[in-house]
Amino acid sequence: MTATDEWRAEAIAHSTGASLLQTFLNDLHNRFQPLRDGKVADYIPELAKADPNWFAICIVTTDGRIFEVGDADQLFTIQSISKVFVHGLALEEHGRDFLLTKVGVEPTGDAFNAIILDEVSKRPYNPMVNAGAIATTSLIKGSCPTERLNRMLDMFRRYIGHDIFVDIATFMSERTTGLRNKAMAYLMQHFGMIDSRVDEALDLYFQQCSLMVNCRDLAVMAATLANHGINPLTGDRAISECYIRDILSVMYTCGMYNYAGEWAYRVGIPAKSGVSGGIIAVVPNQIGIAVFSPPLDKRGNSVRGVAVCEALSQHFGLHLLDSSMGCQKFLDMLN
Ligand code: GLU
């Protein structure tokens, strides 16, 4: 075999693996599009406007390849998925030890919006439930609300690779209906977990939930986490590598609402979902996965999103604790 033949054989294997993956994603999309279970979230009026038929799947590899099917350009608000990245920003700004004095890393089994703090420490349980996320957001540094918002937008820009904007209608909708979040924030102020700028912290939290993304953006963000904090499309570092472990651990144990335990058992990769119907999942060193489909199950996770991630995990042996398969198989297939 000449060098050119070898190169050609490798290119064909590469494209075969890639087209197999694309075909698999197309099949998943066809298989799960007819699912009619679940309900679009309506507790924030703006969310109720989502079309239940929207459905996109996107995978971005750590070497920068993008595979997608469906409504990958459809914009929606990031909601709770933002909590992962703001947790990362707070870790960078304050360090692990300080952050742990303000927010725990314990799964709760309670609803994401439960008004509950750890009885002894008075900390919110973890940064993925609303109380913990508001406490985390309240720590973002800056001399005024605009500076804090800009720091946050800069951080998201590094993960996504382009500018990102707050949807004002959703922000206002969150702000006027988020009474439980307000109650929680004031309770945390009472216990000294957040400082006196409670309303500013709430506004920043509502703004982060109202950032507009599409499914591809989410997959790039997940791939950045999979790629040790470097955005695989731009080559920019979004977060220091030393905090990836913290972020993924909390996603793994607390990222999927009250389904987190069963998700870890069945799917076995760190993930986070949000009430607008997005899910991100991270296979370290390999890929970022994102699925978007607004109808949610009773626990608040996208019905099609969970089905797709379970199928992907099973088919490619992505479960991190599955020693027989090993997720290296995934990139091997593409290479
Ligand atoms: N903005 C939402 C809230 O605080 C986030 C909910 C979510 O996606 O879990 O109610």
Side-chain angles (χ1 to χ4, degrees):
M1 230 193 217
T2 65
T4 318
D5 289 340
E6 262 178 42
W7 176 85
R8 198 169 287 137
E10 202 177 286
I12 290 169
H14 196 273
S15 69
T16 309
S19 51
L20 278 177
L21 174 59
Q22 186 61 53
T23 306
F24 188 72
L25 294 187
N26 296 348
D27 288 349
L28 282 183
H29 196 270
N30 287 337
R31 183 168 8 139
F32 295 125
Q33 179 78 69
L35 267 184
R36 288 285 167 265
D37 302 343
K39 205 174 154 291
V40 174
D42 57 6
Y43 75 102
I44 299 168
E46 278 304 300
L47 293 179
K49 295 180 180 169
D51 181 342
N53 294 313
W54 286 336
F55 182 24
I57 309 171
C58 188
I59 287 182
V60 174
T61 64
T62 49
D63 58 9
R65 280 174 283 168
I66 301 175
F67 300 86
E68 62 189 36
V69 57
D71 305 304
D73 291 310
Q74 177 61 52
L75 289 170
F76 54 95
T77 54
I78 189 168
Q79 295 298 334
S80 265
I81 295 174
S82 64
K83 295 170 180 173
V84 168
F85 303 93
V86 177
H87 177 215
L89 182 58
L91 278 164
E92 278 202 314
E93 290 188 345
H94 299 278
R96 190 175 290 140
D97 293 340
F98 177 78
L99 203 58
L100 278 174
T101 66
K102 298 290 182 189
V103 188
V105 287
E106 212 56 62
T108 68
D110 293 306
F112 71 103
N113 58 2
I115 302 181
I116 180 167
L117 300 173
D118 182 292
E119 267 184 30
V120 179
S121 67
K122 307 302 180 199
R123 292 177 309 180
Y125 276 90
N126 66 69
M128 301 295 109
V129 290
N130 287 6
I134 294 166
T136 309
T137 299
S138 76
L139 294 172
I140 299 311
K141 288 184 176 167
S143 58
C144 63
T146 311
E147 199 177 311
R148 287 189 278 278
L149 174 62
N150 280 331
R151 277 181 86 80
M152 202 179 260
L153 294 176
D154 281 344
M155 176 273 290
F156 279 106
R157 192 180 298 122
R158 290 195 297 275
Y159 278 98
I160 296 179
H162 60 75
D163 286 341
I164 177 166
F165 301 96
V166 174
D167 180 60
I168 298 297
T170 308
F171 166 59
M172 293 307 291
S173 196
E174 298 249 7
R175 194 190 214 199
T176 45
T177 59
L179 300 179
R180 290 185 73 91
N181 287 331
K182 289 184 189 172
M184 230 138 42
Y186 280 99
L187 187 64
M188 288 192 289
Q189 183 194 9
H190 170 77
F191 285 119
M193 286 297 137
I194 68 177
D195 67 23
S196 58
R197 296 170 311 178
V198 180
D199 289 320
E200 287 175 23
L202 281 162
D203 272 357
L204 191 54
Y205 170 73
F206 294 139
Q207 284 158 357
Q208 78 178 60
C209 289
S210 306
L211 289 167
M212 295 294 270
V213 289
N214 62 31
C215 190
R216 189 181 312 111
D217 292 334
L218 288 184
V220 176
M221 295 167 85
T224 300
L225 293 175
N227 195 33
H228 313 277
I230 294 179
N231 180 320
L233 301 187
T234 64
D236 291 341
R237 177 164 289 289
I239 178 160
S240 161
E241 180 166 9
C242 68
Y243 294 119
I244 297 291
R245 189 191 79 181
D246 304 60
I247 295 172
L248 295 184
S249 304
V250 171
M251 285 172 75
Y252 195 70
T253 52
C254 312
M256 296 297 289
Y257 301 120
N258 301 345
Y259 190 64
E262 206 168 327
W263 175 276
Y265 183 77
R266 284 175 186 277
V267 184
I269 45 179
K272 180 74 194 94
S273 75
V275 285
S276 51
I279 295 182
I280 60 167
V282 177
V283 184
N285 302 317
Q286 311 270 317
I287 51 170
I289 302 170
V291 188
F292 167 57
S293 166
L296 308 178
D297 61 23
K298 288 207 169 66
R299 278 123 157 184
N301 296 311
S302 165
V303 172
R304 293 191 187 101
V306 170
V308 165
C309 291
E310 284 190 8
L312 279 169
S313 176
Q314 251 177 34
H315 188 83
F316 294 109
L318 299 180
H319 198 299
L320 294 182
L321 305 179
D322 187 348
S323 55
S324 64
M325 304 291 286
C327 52
Q328 183 57 39
K329 193 173 168 250
F330 197 93
L331 272 195
D332 286 351
M333 181 198 76
L334 293 178
N335 287 329

